[in-house]
Amino acid sequence: MRLIDYLNSKTTDSNLVSTIHSIAQASVHITFLLRRGALAEAEIHGEVGNQNVQGEEQKKLDVIANDMLIETLTKESHCAGIASEELDDAIATHPNGEHLVLFDPLDGSSNIEINMSVGTIFSILPYHRQGEMATNEDFLQIGHEQLASGYIMYGTSTILMLTIGRGQGVGMFVLNPTTGDYLLHHDDIRITRGTQEYAINGSNYRHWFAPMQKYVDELIAGETGVRGKNYNTRWVAAMVSEVNRILTRGGVFLYPADKRNVSKGGKLRLMYEANPMALLIEEAGGKATDTVNDVLDIEPTHIHQRIPVVLGCPEEVERVRELHLA
Ligand code: FDP
């Protein structure tokens, strides 16, 4: 089943179908760009020299992917505004549009230079001030308000993982590179229970707060500790890939705030990383927390807000929460 047919079977909101379709189209162009790989390296790899709003060096591909998404969504009449990791402020597009789109155009971009997978993460929110130009404040809605979210993973194949929320579940699509169509591969993705895999950057251990250290100590203790089973670590260093693994074979992903970044709120971004992933995870039967609150309940104060993120298998997420509330 093609993406468009899947969407039409799940919702009567043709405007939402149109906005999702536009994002999918942009991702097809990004796929072709990335597939040129080393051939395109001289033109497109390397750093532009600018810093993005988080103070990180931008890779040129981040900029190109960002431009491709903006160009496509600027033509999408249902899109009233765009916010991106690569933009300081939101862009107002069509005042009569019904949607606001947020994205991280190339998540895990440090993986580009080692030919590992990267991804685009997106979130679609309703726009409530038709007729007026959208501003940053219009985007400050809790994650539960999302009309749809998903990611595109540019790996050995290009995969689109998508939810339109409200109990409609998660669909996984694979891009047919010959036709440029996304085809349904798996409907109603469910997170496997009883995982033995966890993903965390363990080199930060000494910077974590005690509850996170205790949680990871429990996992490392394996069958000799309180958890009574052995765990395995996986760390791709691209959130899209970690979440893709969790949705396909279970596990838990953790990016806690630590002593170095707690004043900034953590590392990952609420609006275009944590929220869209949390909606996917919850629709697949998992949980997502900032270690205390459900991610989807957090009231945003800034479009580039950062938070700690723990998501995936419910038993693991609840154990982390329990240790933080103790
Ligand atoms: P990146 O900075 O490369 O864009 O979005 C932040 C993120 O990647 C996540 O995708 C990834 O999980 C994490 O940072 C990687 O962090 P480490 O540098 O600590 O490995």
Side-chain angles (χ1 to χ4, degrees), residues 107-110 201 235 237-239 253 255 267-269 273:
D107 176 67
S109 51
S110 59
N201 184 345
W235 188 246
M239 190 189 190
F253 166 83
Y255 215 111
K267 171 163 169 135
L268 301 185
R269 283 56 130 202
E273 293 185 313

